[in-house]
Amino acid sequence: MPVVLLSDLHVDNAQNMSFVRELCSQTRNEAIIVAGDISHNFNLVEETLKLLSSSYRRVFFVAGNHELWVQGSQRGTGTAPSSIEKLNELSSICETYGVFDRPHRLGSVLVVPILSWYDLSLEVPAVADLFEGFERWPWTDFRKCAWPSELEDEYPCLGNRYPSGVGLSFEAKNDKMLKEAVEDMKEVETTAVLTYSHFLPGTFALPDWLKPESDVFDPAWFNHPAAQLSAKFSRVAGSSSIEKQLRRLTPYADEHLHCFGHSHRPKDFYRKGVRYVHHPLGKPKERKMFLSPVNPLTKTVFDHRGQQVPAPTCVRYWESMMKGSDPLAGYK
């Protein structure tokens, strides 16, 4: 069956929720990958997954950072004791509505989620001055998530605690699933593997990394008014461990596609034999500024025959829309 992508739905926004309701107003003979950030509000996540599962033949989901906020984001007006407990409750909701948060086959295409978090491994090098004031940067996760103390380290950020160990904890959780996926691919013909995470799998997926094939960042790529924001974002963007995990599956399929979310900056490119795609809904302001897709639609990546649907390379979306660096002026 065809497979479509979407991430960063942020249905807290009424316009975005209207889009989702319209999307689900008809039965769709497709599978949809939702790469995180439906909402921080548990009830809205549940409503959205219910809508999607009533419309699409298969729904795949992995939690993003917003789903794991626990301050005022749980059922009703209560709060979950921790982000880990909220994650477990989200998994229960997926089971209730038949949403996959574990590997599942679509014929010869194996779909595999990679639960993840960020660490400091994607920090942009050679631009130390742009990190000035990071300890005051109002990244909401630092206030809204609640992690066991052993998964955090003292660090100059808001609240002075950085979740360094969360990604490692999730990697350990993924290990058995990835081993089982490898064994499955050894036994069953697999024309393609589709992995998906919310967070970015490497520095090459950062919004301003203009040459995905390169391992070296050129500071000249920060040729826009929001360079400091972009640099700070790299500290909460993703983890190189995601790339390490997804590459465990690459040798066992003819093709490998990895989709991700989080940055709200569309991508579609190949690197070392793997295709990477980010297709966010984003926020209305970002769509007006040509930072996220102007026309909010899902993106088809596999057709009904299980073959990849090609698309033009996209590295920096607003430039492909011929808008130069002007859109980022509002994000200084």
Side-chain angles (χ1 to χ4, degrees):
M1 72 182 74
V3 181
V4 301
L5 307 180
L6 196 62
S7 71
D8 304 283
L9 280 64
H10 294 290
V11 297
D12 321 85
N13 180 279
Q15 189 178 124
N16 284 15
M17 183 51 116
S18 294
F19 165 77
V20 172
R21 290 196 176 110
E22 176 64 26
L23 194 67
C24 297
S25 64
Q26 56 184 290
T27 301
R28 297 180 180 275
N29 187 31
E30 299 171 325
I32 185 170
I33 310 294
V34 181
D37 274 11
I38 293 175
S39 174
H40 65 276
N41 184 297
F42 191 97
N43 296 331
L44 288 177
V45 175
E46 182 173 8
E47 180 182 354
T48 302
L49 291 177
K50 183 178 180 180
L51 280 168
L52 291 168
S53 63
S54 69
S55 178
Y56 286 86
R57 284 186 62 187
R58 299 285 188 277
V59 180
F60 296 85
F61 171 71
V62 68
N65 51 315
H66 282 243
E67 275 83 25
L68 299 189
W69 292 0
V70 295
Q71 301 301 318
S73 61
Q74 185 62 359
R75 296 178 186 271
T77 57
T79 58
S82 74
S83 295
I84 297 293
E85 291 190 32
K86 190 176 181 188
L87 178 64
N88 293 335
E89 292 194 10
L90 289 167
S91 186
S92 295
I93 287 298
C94 287
E95 186 174 358
T96 297
Y97 295 108
V99 173
F100 292 94
D101 60 353
R102 60 190 184 280
H104 181 74
R105 276 194 171 273
L106 300 173
S108 62
V109 178
L110 181 63
V111 183
V112 181
I114 297 181
L115 181 64
S116 58
W117 203 254
Y118 46 79
D119 55 32
L120 297 172
S121 62
L122 304 195
E123 181 178 304
V124 176
V127 290
D129 58 310
L130 295 179
F131 292 106
E132 184 179 350
F134 185 80
E135 70 279 1
R136 300 184 300 277
W137 190 45
W139 185 248
T140 308
D141 292 358
F142 296 151
R143 293 188 295 107
K144 295 284 190 176
C145 294
W147 303 109
S149 58
E150 64 269 20
L151 298 184
E152 297 182 310
D153 290 316
E154 188 172 340
Y155 190 79
C157 61
L158 198 68
N160 297 312
R161 303 289 293 175
Y162 184 91
S164 306
V166 174
L168 291 172
S169 163
F170 289 167
E171 183 177 353
K173 185 181 177 74
N174 294 336
D175 183 62
K176 180 181 177 183
M177 176 191 69
L178 292 173
K179 286 178 179 176
E180 291 174 351
V182 167
E183 291 306 311
D184 177 83
M185 288 190 286
K186 286 179 179 179
E187 295 178 4
V188 182
E189 180 185 4
T190 305
T191 57
V193 60
L194 192 167
T195 50
Y196 63 104
S197 62
H198 176 65
F199 295 99
L200 281 60
T203 52
F204 55 84
L206 288 167
D208 293 302
W209 204 279
L210 298 190
K211 293 183 178 180
E213 71 281 3
S214 175
D215 294 323
V216 180
F217 182 77
D218 184 348
W221 295 341
F222 278 153
N223 57 347
H224 56 73
Q228 192 171 69
L229 176 61
S230 293
K232 288 182 171 67
F233 175 73
S234 71
R235 288 183 173 175
V236 293
S239 172
S240 58
S241 74
I242 301 169
E243 173 77 350
K244 180 178 72 173
Q245 292 174 77
L246 71 89
R247 288 282 172 175
R248 289 170 61 177
L249 306 183
T250 306
Y252 303 100
D254 298 333
E255 298 180 318
H256 190 164
L257 184 151
H258 181 76
C259 72
F260 59 96
H262 193 46
S263 73
H264 297 202
R265 305 293 180 261
K267 298 273 189 178
D268 196 330
F269 61 84
Y270 281 85
R271 174 183 163 92
K272 298 181 180 179
V274 175
R275 181 182 176 190
Y276 297 85
V277 181
H278 175 26
H279 186 72
L281 177 58
K283 299 178 180 180
K285 176 183 177 181
E286 292 168 321
R287 294 194 287 274
K288 288 180 181 178
M289 296 171 68
F290 301 95
L291 297 174
S292 288
V294 176
N295 298 311
L297 298 169
T298 58
K299 180 167 185 167
T300 304
V301 290
F302 285 97
D303 63 19
H304 68 281
R305 299 166 298 175
Q307 297 182 354
Q308 279 202 60
V309 176
T313 297
C314 177
V315 176
R316 203 148 70 174
Y317 177 77
W318 70 85
E319 290 185 345
S320 69
M321 295 293 290
M322 301 181 69
K323 299 298 176 180
S325 63
D326 292 343
L328 281 170
Y331 274 76
K332 288 182 182 179

